[in-house]
Amino acid sequence: MTFINTWVVFEETIVDRHGLWRYMPYYRVGLFCAWDASVLAVTVLLLIVSVAPLRRRRGPTLQPTALPLPLLAKIAIAITFLNTLVIFFVWPGVLLRVCF
């Protein structure tokens, strides 16, 4: 969900507001389009690739061990933090400019 939310934040703050959609073929403003489908497909593919090695470790273990956090999860945590900063500090200023 973090990667999809990042795409939505990027769409709303950069692509839609600055008119970059004019240079993106098959992009539809405010509608689900090929760009959204490709981001969704890449996100699902990354999720499957990151979970696949964890499913192969089905051997008997005597002690429960904590698995190391995958790189994809670390990236998702960092992006979630950045999304939170954008929502708290960028969008209120944009809303003030639009509403007043």
Side-chain angles (χ1 to χ4, degrees):
M1 288 306 298
T2 296
F3 295 107
I4 295 169
N5 285 340
T6 301
W7 171 248
V8 170
V9 168
F10 177 76
E11 270 185 319
E12 291 181 3
T13 58
I14 304 297
V15 175
D16 292 348
R17 289 202 177 103
H18 296 288
L20 294 180
W21 52 268
R22 292 182 211 128
Y23 307 106
M24 299 168 67
Y26 306 111
Y27 184 82
R28 304 289 175 248
V29 177
L31 299 173
F32 189 79
C33 62
W35 290 85
D36 299 326
S38 63
V39 167
L40 186 62
V42 168
T43 302
V44 169
L45 181 67
L46 284 173
L47 181 66
I48 290 171
V49 168
S50 70
V51 172
L54 298 176
R55 295 186 58 93
R56 288 188 205 134
R57 298 180 191 170
R58 290 199 176 179
T61 58
L62 299 175
Q63 296 177 349
T65 58
L67 296 173
L69 199 58
L71 179 63
L72 191 62
K74 293 176 185 177
I75 293 171
I77 291 168
I79 289 176
T80 301
F81 177 72
L82 292 175
N83 283 348
T84 305
L85 290 178
V86 168
I87 290 170
F88 282 151
F89 297 112
V90 176
W91 281 3
V94 172
L95 290 175
L96 283 174
R97 277 187 262 146
V98 170
C99 294
F100 294 108

